[in-house]
Each structure stands twice: as structure tokens, then as C-alpha cells.
Amino acid sequence: MRRLFLLALLFCSWPVTESLADTEFRGEQSLWQDTVWSGRVLVDGILTIPAGVTLEIRPGTEVRFTRRDTNGDGIGENEIFIQGVLRVLGTAENPVRFTSAEADPVPGDWGALNMMASEEENLLEHCLVEYGYRGFHAHFANASVKNSVFSRNLRGLQFQESTVVIDGCLVEKNFNGMQFRNSMVRLSATRVLDNHWGIRCVYSELTMHDCEVAGNLVNGVNLRDSSLDADSLLVTGNRKGIYLQRSRGSLRGSRIRDNSEHGILLEDSDFLVVGNLIAGNGRAGVRWLNSRGELRDNHLAGNGEYALVNEGEGTVDARSNWWGTTAAELLAAAIRDGSDIAGRGLVDAGDPLAAPPSPPAAGLQ
């Protein structure tokens, strides 16, 4: 992740200048042939990239959008509308920047890099996207996003009915970091930090590897009617770390710690939790509500109120975990279930581990 840190420093040190753009687009315009951008570009309207046309943006290009809000809803409308192909080819040394042209920029100054019905090989690499309504939006599209920063947008990234691969990115200080529905999304080596919401999705398939989700005001990872296949995560400092509703999947070799409420909340879900460190969470390490699955070989000691809460009717299979103790009385105190409240299911914590398992070798430190 060192290259991403250096990229962020470069963006932060990039001077804001008032010089005129090399290329300007005003009003409603379209590119009718393959086009290459470099230098400074000003978009003062909606620029369409039609089907069959490719827009390539070279390293070091700066694209600025003026603010236009015709309906008074507080959301800027100027944007790039892509039905053809978008290829943003920044480098670590010379990234591409998409930003507001306003003297005092705020999130929502401009619309989006708005990709609609574009199923070609779209690519965003080494770019900064800031102060947009939806920094990058894909609908019925395919895209690969690499080594890029999405910051101070109302929605950092948003997808519908799309397939998106995100690698080596930083999504920070947006209202919604990332949200999507009916999509297939693969995240790797990506940080989702200090947003109001971290990751939210419905009716989607999400794969996460070697990612950090931290410091988000509400929930870190929030799925409904979706699937999550995740390993090597660091999920920390959110309100709820991982919250699944009517979802399925597995979490392996991850650190879920120091979230203010629950580390993991499973509601009407089918989930396998294996080999994780789940500690330091304010209320419960795991809250289990009418869900199915197993807890195996996890470190569950050191959470605020309980290691595990069963609020459903069925039994939770939680054998072979480390609870901080093997003493029956202390182990029972770490669990809240039908033994404490009538009508709830029990927790089967049989054969607890005699010592804490080795900590997960999650890649992000």
C-alpha cells in the first residue's frame, strides 16, 4: 500500500491554479470520434461519449467541472456521460485529477464520471476524483479501477447492474464511501476510511481481499440480500463492523476489532466465520439473530459486554473458539443466549480452545 500513500501525498500537494484550460466544453456536447485529452480540461455542461467512441485521458491531465444546479437541489449537474469507452491512464508520478472548478469546492459541485450501458474495457488508473455527487457511477457497465483516490464526494463510487474490479484504491471522507445494487464487485488492497457510511450493497456479490474498512461513522460493511466472500480484512473503528441482513458467505483470517457496537451482526443470514480476531468491540463481538452457519477457531475474548449474543430461536454452533477462558462459569458469562432470556436459542460453545489461536495474517497493518 506504500504506492497508494505516496499517490495520496502527491494529490494533496497538487497546486490549485486559476489559469485557463487548454480545452473547454460548454453546454450539451458530444465527442463523435476517438479523442485523447491531456493538459487542462474544463467541462461547463454535460459532455457525452457516445457508443463506439473512446475517450483516453493521458497522465497528468486535470479535468475541472463548473457548478450548475438548475433545480436547486444542491447537486451539481455538469458531468461526463459515457456510453462508449473511458480509459483514464494516469501514472503514480503523473495522476489524472477530476475536481471542481469552484473557488471554494464542496462535495456535490459536479455530477459524476457517469458510465451508462458501457460494457467495453473501461479503466480508471491512478486518478483522484473529488467534490462530485457520485465520483464514479456505473450502470449496466464493466470497469476496472486501480490505484485511485475517491475523496470528498457525496457518493465515492456507485454501481447498478455492473461488474467492477477495484484494486489498490483509497475511498475516504465521502458521505457514502461505496454503494451498489445488483452488481458483482471485487475489492482488493483497498482502504475505505472515514466516510459517513463505508460499503453498502443490496442484491449483489461482493468479494473482498486484503482490505481495510475503518473509521466510518455508521457501518463499515453493510450487506442486504447479498453474498460476501472475504478474507484478510481489517475492520475497525466503525459503529458496526460487518452487518449482514438476509445474506450469505464467509469471513476468514480477518481482524474485526474496536468497533463501537458489534464487530459482526448477522440477521437472517447464512455465514461461516473462521479464524478471525474479533476483539475490543463495544457491545458484542458477534450478535447472531436467526442466522445459520458456524463460528470456528476465532479469538472472541475481550469484547465489551459479550463475546457472543444469540437473539434468535435456533442454536448457534460456536465450538472450538477462544473465549479468554475455559472455565465453564466464565465462559457462560461471555455468552448471552436462552440460558439468560427465555425464548432465545442456546449457544453450543463445546470444546473451547485452550489457548488463543495465532492472530490472522491480514495483509494491511
Side-chain angles (χ1 to χ4, degrees), residues 268-299:
D268 298 309
S269 294
D270 193 339
F271 207 61
L272 184 64
V273 183
V274 178
N276 304 285
L277 171 65
I278 306 172
N281 299 289
R283 296 183 62 183
V286 180
R287 181 182 174 193
W288 195 281
L289 177 58
N290 291 327
S291 294
R292 299 155 301 284
E294 297 179 358
L295 292 165
R296 286 283 186 275
D297 300 320
N298 301 288
H299 185 301

Side-chain angles (χ1 to χ4, degrees), residues 138-206:
H139 197 170
F140 295 114
N142 296 330
S144 179
V145 185
K146 300 180 179 180
N147 304 313
S148 294
V149 177
F150 296 82
S151 181
R152 297 178 177 85
N153 305 282
L154 291 180
R155 302 174 183 179
L157 302 101
Q158 181 177 344
F159 317 125
Q160 294 107 286
E161 290 87 12
S162 294
T163 299
V164 182
V165 176
I166 301 170
D167 179 49
C169 290
L170 173 63
V171 182
E172 65 165 0
K173 300 177 182 177
N174 307 279
F175 186 80
N176 287 346
M178 191 180 306
Q179 64 183 76
F180 47 94
R181 63 172 173 81
N182 299 102
S183 294
M184 297 179 62
V185 177
R186 188 169 77 240
L187 297 177
S188 60
T190 288
R191 286 183 159 97
V192 181
L193 309 179
D194 302 323
N195 305 281
H196 188 88
W197 285 87
I199 298 170
R200 307 171 71 186
C201 75
V202 296
Y203 309 118
S204 295
E205 298 179 19
L206 172 61

Side-chain angles (χ1 to χ4, degrees), residues 245-259:
Q245 300 169 283
R246 298 188 301 275
S247 296
R248 63 196 182 279
S250 65
L251 175 70
R252 306 170 305 280
S254 296
R255 291 169 286 163
I256 314 298
R257 62 178 310 145
D258 302 323
N259 299 285

Side-chain angles (χ1 to χ4, degrees), residues 64 69 80 91 96 131 142 150 246 304 324 350 352:
R64 291 180 176 268
D69 179 13
I80 302 175
T91 65
V96 172
Y131 298 116
N142 296 330
F150 296 82
R246 298 188 301 275

Side-chain angles (χ1 to χ4, degrees), residues 100-122:
S100 170
E102 302 305 304
D104 297 307
V106 296
D109 269 352
W110 55 283
L113 302 177
N114 196 355
M115 189 169 291
M116 180 72 69
S118 178
E119 298 184 357
E120 304 296 330
E121 294 298 324
N122 297 288

Side-chain angles (χ1 to χ4, degrees), residues 29 45 72-73 80 116 143 160 170-171 227 236-237 264 268 288 306 316 333 335 342 345-346:
Q29 293 196 44
D73 65 355
I80 302 175
M116 180 72 69
Q160 294 107 286
L170 173 63
V171 182
S227 67
T236 182
I264 301 173
D268 298 309
W288 195 281
Y306 298 97
V316 177
I335 297 170
L346 298 175

Side-chain angles (χ1 to χ4, degrees), residues 209-231:
H209 170 70
D210 193 22
C211 294
E212 179 181 359
V213 182
N216 299 288
L217 184 62
V218 186
N219 299 337
V221 181
N222 200 145
L223 278 69
R224 178 166 58 84
D225 299 296
S226 297
S227 67
L228 173 65
D229 181 9
D231 70 277

Side-chain angles (χ1 to χ4, degrees), residues 13-84:
S13 63
W14 197 332
V16 177
T17 64
E18 300 298 328
S19 60
L20 296 175
D22 301 311
T23 305
E24 297 184 1
F25 297 91
R26 298 190 182 273
E28 305 282 335
Q29 293 196 44
S30 297
L31 298 179
W32 295 111
Q33 61 184 2
D34 292 351
T35 301
V36 175
W37 284 357
S38 60
R40 299 175 184 272
V41 179
L42 179 71
V43 178
D44 181 31
I46 297 177
L47 177 66
T48 297
I49 315 303
V53 174
T54 297
L55 171 61
E56 179 178 309
I57 304 179
R58 294 283 174 83
T61 302
E62 182 174 272
V63 183
R64 291 180 176 268
F65 299 83
T66 59
R67 183 179 180 89
R68 179 173 61 99
D69 179 13
T70 60
N71 60 7
D73 65 355
I75 303 298
E77 298 159 12
N78 294 338
E79 65 180 23
I80 302 175
F81 183 73
I82 305 121
Q83 294 177 304

